[in-house]
Amino acid sequence: SFPRLTRRPNLNNMASIVQGLSNAMLGPPGAKQPPYPGKQYLIGGNWKCNGTKESVAALVTTLNNAGDIPPWVEVVVGVPAIHIGTVLATLRRDISVAAQDCSATGFGAYTGELAASMLADFGVPWVILGHSERRTNQKETSALVAAKTKQALDAGLSVMVCVGETLEEREAGKIDAVVLDDHMGALKGKFSDSEWARIAIAYEPVWAIGTGKVATPEQAQAAHVAVRRALSELFGDETARQVRIQYGGSVTPDSIDRLMACPDVDGALVGGASLSAEAFSRIVEFTEPSALSAPAPREATARVCVSCRNALGESPVWSERDEALYWVSAVEGELWSWNLQDAPYKIVPRFGTTLGFVALRGGAPGSLLLGGEDAILALDRGDRAARVLAVPPAEGNTRPNDGRVDREGRMVMGMYNNFHRSGASEGADNAGLYRFDASFEYEELLDYRFRVSNCCCFPADGRMMYFCDTPTRKVYAFDYPETGKPENRRLVWTQPPTWPGGPDGAQCDAEGFIWTALNGAGRVVRINPATGELNLVVHTPGCPTPTSCTFGGPDLDELFITTAARPEGGQLYRLKVPFGIKGLPEPEWNGEKLVM
């Protein structure tokens, strides 16, 4: 049971609460307890009074394609009443819908009210009650909030009950009186143990919302300890352990990991950030607290080796046949080559089209395959012009972006939504992943579409394929049979929410680990696909935008990293890979052999 104190904890004395109560209740500092058995962390998004038909549809579409939700997280979005029907009908089933309020009355002559039983009849499982904005703007009392909560529970709904103090109340030292006596005290004697199982408490430090004053994780933990203590004193130890306490003070992707590492923080109620599907997804994908104790990955630093000033360097490949590295500068339509001995150079001519990838082509030295926006091209050493082999798949607003030759010598090419950030196809999943040989009968490999193809690579035996739709920030593995399409998709790794950008180009090493450039985060990471743990982090100092990587050199023990010029970069980076790690020989596209 919870230890009894001789006096109520003072919320204004944050340090004493953290040191005293947290240790007494939940063990040594930093020891995150697992959720109560059968309980998940609860991440709620409150859209407040925002959204048009168009913007809500776009937000739902992006959430639907945001990737898997971690199994330890329950996700709920609070939707304006007028949009509830649309969101219920179109939102993915593993995200629940909440109303933002309900009445304290049932059916009857209550013009403008929304009864909890109506929400239940409509299939709405959650409701948010007592939000600070309603307590302030609509003058809702704690007694009214308790009455609404009772109506919601009687109708079968689950409830997030919001509590918290304003800046004036905090500075006046009234935190105990407001949060513990008034907000929490009004709930006393109203609900059974089974009903408490459907209640979450959302602590809102109102003074930290929109004021520029940010609560630290230590302050959040201290407040949550006091709320849990109040639950214990008012409703019993079992209720105190069972009820999830969410933090609701300006939660962002940058703050979520530290907040969720606090022993008494069981989730978050997210405001403005929930209106951005990508920001909200990053919050949902917070680092599970038990993973924070994993050993830190080793680190290394790559250095600039070629000052090529590429606008968008991409797709590096090492040819053992040619003893040379090739890469493209995509938007400029340039192809570069370097044998590590002489000066690197641009291969003439420019190709007059955006180049998404370069691959090795079977045949004489210097034979290459290029993926252009307008054409798939072949180039031989000494050619003054490339040969057009085929046109890419006809898809609106897309171009080839990322590709690798598989271990059977077939080209696997992913597409890119040119306007995935803005324009006619903003946010649309309209790009596909294709495989082709010399027949150029494009075989679409996945049963879903995406926005930005990246991370396509294969280990030594070729029976696995890795892939990422960059905006989701998730790297997946697929079984890759010798014939037939990839199958059995499973999540390998999710980029931490505190790291900006997303996974870009990737390569496998001889041990089967994945190396992916994190464009925006200024690093390349080595991922263990069996555990999802990072084994090594390679930094690109001075450049936050690495775009892809590959192994090269005579012993395949050097890592080459292409970069983008914006905001700073565009150079080629190089690292002598430590710890005896080596790469794999790059396969050649055997299309020319098939033609013969």
Side-chain angles (χ1 to χ4, degrees), residues 94-159:
D94 55 355
I95 299 179
S96 297
V97 173
Q100 296 177 8
D101 187 40
C102 72
S103 70
T105 55
F107 292 115
Y110 307 107
T111 302
E113 295 287 5
L114 182 63
S117 51
M118 291 177 174
L119 295 171
D121 181 59
F122 220 60
V124 178
W126 281 87
V127 62
I128 301 170
L129 295 175
H131 192 278
S132 59
E133 290 159 2
R134 294 198 62 84
R135 291 182 187 265
T136 301
N137 300 330
Q138 278 71 40
K139 310 302 180 185
E140 289 193 356
T141 64
S142 294
L144 179 61
V145 172
K148 289 184 174 187
T149 302
K150 182 60 175 173
Q151 283 283 327
L153 294 171
D154 287 348
L157 303 183
S158 296
V159 185

Side-chain angles (χ1 to χ4, degrees), residues 321 360-364 367-369 376-380 387-389 409-410 436-440 588-596:
R321 175 195 63 195
L360 308 180
R361 217 174 86 242
S367 299
L368 301 173
L369 182 74
I376 306 299
L377 306 168
L379 185 73
D380 295 319
R387 290 181 287 122
V388 175
L389 299 179
R410 301 164 296 188
F436 62 89
D437 54 28
S439 69
F440 285 97
E588 298 176 351
W589 184 61
N590 59 19
E592 294 288 295
K593 297 178 181 178
L594 292 173
V595 170
M596 296 168 59

Side-chain angles (χ1 to χ4, degrees), residues 294-493:
R298 297 171 291 185
E299 299 187 61
T301 300
R303 301 297 180 189
V304 173
C305 59
V306 179
S307 297
C308 41
R309 300 186 181 277
N310 297 148
L312 181 58
E314 283 279 13
S315 189
V317 291
W318 174 262
S319 170
E320 289 190 307
R321 175 195 63 195
D322 301 345
E323 297 183 342
L325 181 75
Y326 299 99
W327 72 96
V328 300
S329 184
V331 296
E332 298 161 305
E334 295 177 348
L335 173 65
W336 286 71
S337 178
W338 185 31
N339 64 8
L340 311 188
Q341 302 296 324
D342 304 315
Y345 63 95
K346 287 183 285 189
I347 296 177
V348 177
R350 286 195 177 187
F351 295 88
T353 182
T354 297
L355 295 176
F357 67 81
V358 57
L360 308 180
R361 217 174 86 242
S367 299
L368 301 173
L369 182 74
L370 298 159
E373 182 168 11
D374 303 314
I376 306 299
L377 306 168
L379 185 73
D380 295 319
R381 179 171 291 175
D383 281 355
R384 302 295 296 179
R387 290 181 287 122
V388 175
L389 299 179
V391 296
E395 296 177 338
N397 296 330
T398 68
R399 65 166 174 82
N401 180 62
D402 182 47
R404 291 279 181 197
V405 177
D406 69 16
R407 300 299 169 189
E408 277 69 48
R410 301 164 296 188
M411 188 69 215
V412 177
M413 172 184 72
M415 305 295 282
Y416 175 101
N417 177 346
N418 284 313
F419 302 103
H420 75 276
R421 292 190 180 94
S422 62
S425 58
E426 179 182 2
D429 294 317
N430 64 350
L433 185 71
Y434 297 92
R435 183 169 60 199
F436 62 89
D437 54 28
S439 69
F440 285 97
E441 295 178 356
Y442 295 112
E443 178 185 13
E444 189 164 1
L445 295 181
L446 302 182
D447 59 2
Y448 64 95
R449 291 294 182 94
F450 46 83
R451 282 177 281 172
V452 181
S453 168
N454 268 310
C455 286
C456 187
C457 57
F458 305 88
D461 65 4
R463 299 284 70 83
M464 196 86 70
M465 180 187 80
Y466 301 107
F467 176 79
C468 174
D469 177 12
T470 292
T472 71
R473 298 160 55 89
K474 298 175 185 291
V475 179
Y476 288 97
F478 296 79
D479 292 339
Y480 191 79
E482 188 171 346
T483 59
K485 296 183 178 183
E487 56 192 12
N488 188 26
R489 186 181 83 156
R490 60 267 191 200
L491 181 65
V492 170
W493 184 73

Side-chain angles (χ1 to χ4, degrees), residues 164-321:
E165 78 281 3
T166 65
L167 180 61
E168 293 77 12
E169 291 164 342
R170 180 179 179 81
E171 291 179 342
K174 297 180 179 179
I175 304 174
D176 284 4
V178 171
V179 177
L180 306 183
D181 294 333
D182 182 16
H183 295 182
M184 300 288 294
L187 305 176
K188 186 174 182 179
K190 299 291 195 303
F191 316 120
S192 66
D193 290 345
S194 62
E195 287 175 323
W196 272 108
R198 290 187 281 123
I199 297 175
I201 300 294
Y203 170 70
E204 301 180 280
V206 184
W207 55 272
I209 301 175
T211 65
K213 296 178 181 289
V214 179
T216 66
E218 291 76 19
Q219 289 173 318
Q221 164 64 8
H224 281 228
V225 167
V227 171
R228 202 175 300 279
R229 167 64 59 193
L231 286 168
S232 177
E233 293 182 352
L234 292 170
F235 312 111
D237 294 349
E238 184 65 15
T239 295
R241 290 187 183 278
Q242 176 175 278
V243 170
R244 292 177 286 187
I245 306 175
Q246 302 165 274
Y247 178 75
S250 300
V251 178
T252 68
D254 292 332
S255 65
I256 187 66
D257 274 3
R258 290 188 64 204
L259 286 168
M260 295 308 300
C262 296
D264 285 278
V265 177
D266 301 322
L269 182 56
V270 184
S274 68
L275 295 171
S276 165
E278 292 183 10
F280 188 58
S281 295
R282 289 168 64 182
I283 291 171
V284 168
E285 295 158 4
F286 69 87
T287 304
E288 203 276 327
S290 64
L292 295 175
S293 60
R298 297 171 291 185
E299 299 187 61
T301 300
R303 301 297 180 189
V304 173
C305 59
V306 179
S307 297
C308 41
R309 300 186 181 277
N310 297 148
L312 181 58
E314 283 279 13
S315 189
V317 291
W318 174 262
S319 170
E320 289 190 307
R321 175 195 63 195

